[in-house]
Amino acid sequence: MYLSVLLLFFLWAPALTIKNLNFSVPEEAIAGTIVGNLSNDIKLGILERGKKSNFRVLENSASDLIDVEQDSGLVFTKQRIDRETLCRRNLKCQVSLEVFANDKDLYMIKVDITDINDNSPIFPSEQIDIDISENAFPGTRFPLTSAHDPDSGDYGLKTYVINHNGLFSLDVKSRGDGTKFPELVIDKPLDREEQSHHNLILTALDGGNPPRSATVQINVKVIDSNDNSPVFEAPSYMVEIPENSPLGRVVIDLNATDADEGSNGDVVYSFSGYAPDRVRELFSIDPNTGVIQVKGNLDYEENNLIEIDVQARDQGPNPIPAHCKVTVKVIDKNDNAPSIGFISVRQGAISEAAPPGTVIALVRVTDKDSGKNGQLQCRVLGNVPFKLEENSDNFYSVVTDRPLDRETQDEYNVTIIARDNGNPPLNSTKSFTVKILDENDNAPTFNKGLHVLQVSENNIPGEYLGSVVAHDPDLGHNGTVSYSILPSYVGDVPVFTFVSVNPTNGAVYALRSFNYEQTKYFEFKLLAKDSGSPHLESNVTVRVTVLDVNDNAPVISLPILQNDTAEIHVPRNVGVGYVVSTVRAVDNDFGESGRLTYEIAYGNEEHLFEIDPVTGEIKTLNPYWEEVSPVVELVIKVTDNGKPALSAVAKLIIKSSSGSLPEGEPRVNGKQHQWDMSLPLIVTLSTISIILLAAMITIAVKCKRENKSECCLQGVCGQRFFYQRNNFSPLVLMVHQNCVDCSLSNLL
């Protein structure tokens, strides 16, 4: 049985070469005897500079007897080897080694232990006593005890000889297992009265040169005759019986007959006195019936042919026994499951970059059975990226079957099944674990092509805007991602002055305070790079959207106010629905923050007027308002829809004019068409715009002449004008010194 060294993890290697080498060493060689030199015999190629030879023994069937030097590759004996102790009587005595040479090739080494004639034959006793009737006919045979020689082959037991006295001769026969045994043959009739005792010398010779020998004395006693001897139905029998037959199973029912009457005709059966001990362990014989039964466990793999010598003798005086031979042929049964053993190639794990066909392990599969029972089919179980490739001498290579991907699966349990062709078949399984090593085969990836970050205007510089994270499924340095911003411009200004990114976690921070009215959004490219070698990278577009904040209060532009107050003169008798005035306000904010609502806050307790909340038109509700109150002070409030809402107020003093409507001015339903107020409004707004534009051009020219950085530091560029009013306080023109980009000067 092959004893394997199971190592759970294997390092990928290129295609493996398996080579066979044969050495021999005679038994009794002293310790330290050189058996062979692997470095010379296998002709290893030139090693890399600075690298030493390395011979690693993976498996050794006799590690206490033979070994290999790791550096030199010398195969040597570790102690005296006694072939007879190691292999008993087996004709082939071998020690097997598997050696991994320089991490490249696997060598299957067979060391034959050659026999020397160091043992003489041995008889189990010093003499043999035989009683022979004087009536025994010439040709009658008497089996003799066999000698044993521990040596094998040519040095084993070859023949027997006997000294000749004219009455007896020797016939040497071979058993099915090749062993020799002698039979004493009567050549001439015996006469007890002439000579009652005969002394013979039996000599056993081996095949040595010169041969070794052993002798035993045969004492033949001639006794009075017993008229008839038992007779078997046949001189030999052939019986087939399956291995592992149950104890007590009948092998054969022998029958020997004796023509005599009484005790002279009663036959007793027994094994020959020279039957081997192993026969007596495996079988029993009934002395009265001659039935042979199974006594021990029959094993085809141990011995497939067993010869049993049986004798039958009557119980009369001076019996002459009869002999027969029963040959038991043991039939092989599929009683041995396949045996699977692993041999490691290299310790460790396999890289996911290993190409298909990479060897990760060697497997040896054996089966003790023979024929179909020992024919094997092997494969890898399950849908795993590995398969078996048959090599030779029951060796299989476990190789990768397709590309590996650690990110899909980082560990495999590889199970090998071996099944024989018996009926029913037997199978065995054995597993080992393969870990997959990471390679930098994945670039960092973002979960979407555009990342949008939002920030409210007037933010604090350094404010956290959000994180843009890339995922890299690789491990260690291969999966460690760093972030950076690719160079670009927002207008003419480098993006690096707008935002920064934490290189470790992808957190994006604002470097300045943003103004929605100036910059509504900007974009930049964010690069993600892993730390593998070589590194892999990818980038994504990041858009920063500036959210509008209600930071501008409405500014009332019409009517023209002085100290937040305007005086409106309305002719008498204008009727209901007359447009007294239109209030207009502007708000620099956008969206809801810039949508305005007009209302009369105070002064309309008599409900003399109404104001359109959207257009700001103030109309009369009472045709006789001047009679109720010739002077009405209305407080108009303009509110935006931001959160929180900002507002502005103005006081309108409405006075009744003594004049009346011009002649021919029609009245419709008591209402007079108002005078179109849009022209004065347009003129007023245009005047203000021209003044602001002139101021900005003047400042821009100044910035262009001066150093740009100094311009920004002095707050010259980007000054923003707006009106601010607190309740009914006078209108004041304010200037904020917020330094923004000076690109306007460059444009101008």
Side-chain angles (χ1 to χ4, degrees), residues 260-490:
D260 293 328
E261 295 181 352
S263 61
N264 290 338
D266 294 335
V267 178
V268 177
Y269 302 89
S270 64
F271 293 130
S272 170
Y274 313 117
D277 292 338
R278 185 57 178 161
V279 170
R280 300 177 187 275
E281 293 173 358
L282 296 176
F283 304 99
S284 65
I285 186 169
D286 190 305
N288 298 317
T289 64
V291 173
I292 298 177
Q293 294 177 301
V294 176
K295 180 182 177 182
N297 293 323
L298 299 177
D299 189 356
Y300 173 89
E301 288 71 39
E302 178 184 349
N303 199 341
N304 60 1
L305 192 68
I306 304 172
E307 292 183 349
I308 306 174
D309 294 318
V310 180
Q311 71 176 12
R313 68 169 65 206
D314 60 35
Q315 298 187 48
N318 306 320
I320 299 177
H323 297 85
C324 76
K325 179 185 294 184
V326 178
T327 301
V328 179
K329 184 178 181 180
V330 181
I331 305 302
D332 185 35
K333 288 293 183 182
N334 193 22
D335 59 338
N336 291 284
S339 174
I340 303 174
F342 291 104
I343 302 176
S344 69
V345 177
R346 295 184 183 178
Q347 299 181 20
I350 182 171
S351 169
E352 63 176 329
T358 299
V359 178
I360 64 170
L362 286 181
V363 181
R364 172 181 278 175
V365 185
T366 57
D367 195 317
K368 289 184 177 180
D369 296 319
S370 61
K372 288 186 176 180
N373 297 332
Q375 294 175 358
L376 300 174
Q377 298 176 359
C378 304
R379 61 186 176 90
V380 176
L381 284 179
N383 184 23
V384 295
F386 306 100
K387 66 178 180 179
L388 282 181
E389 290 184 351
E390 187 172 2
N391 297 320
S392 60
D393 196 19
N394 297 325
F395 272 94
Y396 296 83
S397 297
V398 182
V399 301
T400 54
D401 189 31
R402 57 181 182 266
L404 304 174
D405 186 5
R406 187 206 63 81
E407 290 70 38
T408 302
Q409 189 166 343
D410 63 355
E411 183 176 293
Y412 291 93
N413 185 42
V414 181
T415 300
I416 296 173
I417 181 172
R419 175 173 299 184
D420 60 31
N421 291 330
N423 186 18
L426 299 178
N427 60 70
S428 298
T429 60
K430 186 165 282 190
S431 303
F432 64 94
T433 301
V434 177
K435 288 187 176 294
I436 309 301
L437 293 177
D438 185 50
E439 292 289 337
N440 192 25
D441 57 343
N442 291 282
T445 57
F446 296 93
N447 57 4
K448 50 187 175 181
L450 175 66
H451 284 260
V452 179
L453 305 179
Q454 294 182 336
V455 58
S456 298
E457 65 174 330
N458 303 325
N459 60 288
I460 301 173
E463 181 177 341
Y464 170 73
L465 303 183
S467 294
V468 180
V469 179
H471 174 67
D472 193 323
D474 294 324
L475 295 178
H477 291 295
N478 296 334
T480 302
V481 181
S482 60
Y483 302 89
S484 61
I485 297 175
L486 293 177
S488 63
Y489 290 85
V490 179

Side-chain angles (χ1 to χ4, degrees), residues 62-377:
S63 57
D64 58 330
L65 299 178
I66 293 180
D67 206 350
V68 178
E69 285 189 355
Q70 184 175 359
D71 297 332
S72 65
L74 291 177
V75 184
F76 64 95
T77 61
K78 298 176 70 175
Q79 59 176 302
R80 184 183 66 84
I81 300 176
D82 183 5
R83 187 184 186 280
E84 289 70 43
T85 302
L86 180 64
C87 300
R88 297 187 178 181
R89 293 181 56 81
N90 293 333
L91 293 178
K92 195 172 186 64
C93 185
Q94 281 187 338
V95 174
S96 62
L97 300 94
E98 283 104 19
V99 179
F100 200 50
N102 294 338
D103 296 334
K104 292 181 178 179
D105 299 307
L106 182 66
Y107 289 89
M108 313 305 299
I109 301 173
K110 305 291 185 183
V111 179
D112 292 312
I113 310 301
T114 59
D115 191 26
I116 64 173
N117 195 18
D118 58 338
N119 292 283
S120 298
I122 301 173
F123 283 101
S125 61
E126 295 181 355
Q127 66 179 26
I128 302 173
D129 296 325
I130 302 177
D131 293 338
I132 303 177
S133 172
E134 62 179 337
N135 290 337
F137 293 104
T140 303
R141 295 170 176 268
F142 297 88
L144 301 176
T145 184
S146 299
H148 171 68
D149 192 331
D151 294 325
S152 62
D154 293 337
Y155 299 123
L157 183 62
K158 286 298 181 183
T159 190
Y160 297 88
V161 294
I162 193 173
N163 61 316
H164 295 280
N165 63 358
L167 298 177
F168 301 95
S169 65
L170 195 68
D171 187 12
V172 180
K173 294 188 174 181
S174 297
R175 291 190 174 90
D177 60 359
T179 59
K180 308 287 187 178
F181 69 95
E183 289 184 344
L184 184 65
V185 182
I186 298 177
D187 289 339
K188 294 181 179 181
L190 302 178
D191 186 351
R192 179 179 176 277
E193 287 69 29
E194 180 180 344
Q195 187 175 354
S196 61
H197 290 83
H198 298 273
N199 294 321
L200 305 172
I201 301 298
L202 177 65
T203 302
L205 300 172
D206 65 19
N209 186 16
R212 289 175 174 261
S213 63
T215 60
V216 64
Q217 181 175 320
I218 303 175
N219 296 322
V220 178
K221 181 181 180 181
V222 182
I223 58 177
D224 287 334
S225 65
N226 187 343
D227 292 337
N228 295 286
S229 297
V231 178
F232 284 100
E233 295 176 347
S236 63
Y237 302 87
M238 174 68 74
V239 180
E240 292 184 352
I241 185 170
E243 66 174 330
N244 296 329
S245 293
L247 302 183
R249 175 168 179 167
V250 175
V251 178
I252 191 172
D253 185 358
L254 296 175
N255 185 31
T257 59
D258 193 318
D260 293 328
E261 295 181 352
S263 61
N264 290 338
D266 294 335
V267 178
V268 177
Y269 302 89
S270 64
F271 293 130
S272 170
Y274 313 117
D277 292 338
R278 185 57 178 161
V279 170
R280 300 177 187 275
E281 293 173 358
L282 296 176
F283 304 99
S284 65
I285 186 169
D286 190 305
N288 298 317
T289 64
V291 173
I292 298 177
Q293 294 177 301
V294 176
K295 180 182 177 182
N297 293 323
L298 299 177
D299 189 356
Y300 173 89
E301 288 71 39
E302 178 184 349
N303 199 341
N304 60 1
L305 192 68
I306 304 172
E307 292 183 349
I308 306 174
D309 294 318
V310 180
Q311 71 176 12
R313 68 169 65 206
D314 60 35
Q315 298 187 48
N318 306 320
I320 299 177
H323 297 85
C324 76
K325 179 185 294 184
V326 178
T327 301
V328 179
K329 184 178 181 180
V330 181
I331 305 302
D332 185 35
K333 288 293 183 182
N334 193 22
D335 59 338
N336 291 284
S339 174
I340 303 174
F342 291 104
I343 302 176
S344 69
V345 177
R346 295 184 183 178
Q347 299 181 20
I350 182 171
S351 169
E352 63 176 329
T358 299
V359 178
I360 64 170
L362 286 181
V363 181
R364 172 181 278 175
V365 185
T366 57
D367 195 317
K368 289 184 177 180
D369 296 319
S370 61
K372 288 186 176 180
N373 297 332
Q375 294 175 358
L376 300 174
Q377 298 176 359

